[in-house]
Amino acid sequence: MNCCHLLVAARIELVATLFAAWIVGGVVAGEPIQVMTYNIRYQNRSDGEDIWENRSDIVIETIGKSDVVGLQEVLAGQFDQIQQQLPGWQWYGVGRDDGLRAGEMAAVGWNTKKLIALEQGTFWLSDSPYRVGKAAWDAALPRVASWVRLTSRRKSAQGEPTTVLVVNAHFDHRGVQARKQSAALLRKWISQNRGPSSAILIGDLNATVGSPPLDELLLAEAAPFPVLVDAKAHTANPATGPNSTWNGFKQIADGQRIDHILYQGEGIRVVNYTTLDPRTPAGRFASDHLPVLAEIEYN
């Protein structure tokens, strides 16, 4: 599948959908959305007690606490199961290996009672973003970012539907340069493509605040494009939950906050921010990462 096919096939008719969103008006004006990022751990038969079959129900239950979610490490079978068990949601994601179903997805899902997708697509975190399956720089694996432009099922104060661009990414776990270059690519891409929308970047960035990839995204001097903002550092109410998002199925590793929710645009207000710690009925971690959930208003 070539890049044009990926972009064109992913798009939804913009004008018709905007009109539909405007006339539905099913959500009270000003109602925030719950935004989540969650690395669900790929379906790995070597995970022992932590195999997907032992975790899937609590993972999917946790996803259902949000209105829009970015998932990482999603394989096709997991993707199918999540869709089946969350009626009323829509999903977008492609496999990083072939642009279809092969390899992990950075999937995005949204609750259709609150949100409608206007357009969507995928690009690869590489020096050739629309070359399918390419691993770039010093990355160990191909990496992708998926994006969806969403509108609320409510009218804004101006009578037009408000929109938000949601980008979900998974940075490489080994490539130092790949992570920094991926951050630079994302910052540029979001700045050039968000248009009148506010933007939310969610994902497993395999990097903590203060590291070069996060500096590239958050610091004004890092690039000539507008900065993104760390939702945790700008929440109206104090952030809650663990100070880490990594547990390795063993214990929460202190200070390892590598899963992030960032934003760009003056229309964003973060109301609450929490790191969740879902457990299976056996008391084990639901994934080797913890999900992050932010309550966000946008206009």
Side-chain angles (χ1 to χ4, degrees):
M1 177 178 289
N2 60 37
C3 63
C4 294
H5 190 188
L6 275 171
L7 290 172
V8 173
R11 288 183 180 274
I12 299 172
E13 182 58 45
L14 180 59
V15 174
T17 311
L18 275 168
F19 179 73
W22 187 85
I23 63 175
V24 173
V27 174
V28 177
E31 183 177 358
I33 57 172
Q34 304 291 333
V35 178
M36 179 180 289
T37 181
Y38 198 3
N39 182 323
I40 66 169
R41 173 67 175 179
Y42 72 99
Q43 193 168 10
N44 182 354
R45 280 294 177 194
S46 300
D47 278 344
E49 294 180 81
D50 301 308
I51 59 172
W52 172 247
E53 289 78 3
N54 292 345
R55 306 182 290 108
S56 60
D57 286 346
I58 188 62
V59 167
I60 295 169
E61 178 183 319
T62 302
I63 293 168
K65 299 178 185 295
S66 65
D67 297 312
V68 57
V69 63
L71 303 179
Q72 302 87 40
E73 293 196 20
V74 186
L75 296 181
Q78 294 171 296
F79 193 53
D80 294 342
Q81 182 182 351
I82 292 167
Q83 291 183 84
Q84 183 179 24
Q85 291 185 219
L86 282 175
W89 280 61
Q90 288 187 354
W91 292 87
Y92 171 73
V94 301
R96 67 188 182 190
D97 295 344
D98 65 354
L100 298 170
R101 286 172 62 86
E104 295 176 8
M105 304 176 187
V108 182
W110 56 96
N111 183 343
T112 59
K113 291 181 180 179
K114 283 192 173 183
L115 299 163
I116 298 172
L118 304 178
E119 53 180 349
Q120 56 204 27
T122 294
F123 57 94
W124 273 254
L125 300 178
S126 86
D127 49 2
S128 301
Y130 298 107
R131 181 178 169 185
V132 174
K134 182 178 181 182
W137 305 298
D138 56 351
L141 298 163
R143 298 291 182 175
V144 296
S146 298
W147 60 272
V148 180
R149 196 180 306 272
L150 297 168
T151 187
S152 174
R153 288 184 181 273
R154 64 173 170 83
K155 293 179 289 184
S156 69
Q158 293 75 33
E160 297 292 335
T162 55
T163 62
V164 61
L165 176 67
V166 176
V167 183
N168 177 34
H170 188 187
F171 285 9
D172 197 68
H173 63 304
R174 292 184 182 173
V176 174
Q177 282 302 312
R179 287 193 292 272
K180 189 174 188 300
Q181 294 295 334
S182 294
L185 172 64
L186 275 170
R187 186 167 165 178
K188 178 180 179 181
W189 190 95
I190 290 170
S191 298
Q192 293 179 337
N193 287 275
R194 72 180 180 90
S197 306
S198 296
I200 301 173
L201 170 61
I202 51 184
D204 172 7
L205 306 186
N206 273 310
T208 59
V209 173
S211 66
L214 267 294
D215 285 350
E216 181 66 44
L217 291 166
L218 300 173
L219 297 183
E221 60 269 25
F225 304 101
V227 299
L228 285 103
V229 179
D230 181 6
K232 184 175 184 178
H234 290 81
T235 179
N237 297 302
T240 60
N243 70 345
S244 172
T245 61
W246 170 252
N247 63 67
F249 287 127
K250 296 177 182 178
Q251 64 180 16
I252 298 173
D254 187 57
Q256 290 298 301
R257 182 163 71 98
I258 60 175
D259 301 85
H260 300 274
I261 298 176
L262 312 177
Y263 65 90
Q264 188 184 95
E266 296 180 357
I268 294 284
R269 178 176 180 265
V270 183
V271 181
N272 291 297
Y273 182 105
T274 186
T275 302
L276 305 176
D277 184 11
R279 304 288 180 114
T280 69
R284 300 187 66 84
F285 291 108
S287 175
D288 56 352
H289 288 244
L290 302 181
V292 176
L293 183 67
E295 183 179 10
I296 290 177
E297 296 174 346
Y298 70 96
N299 54 52

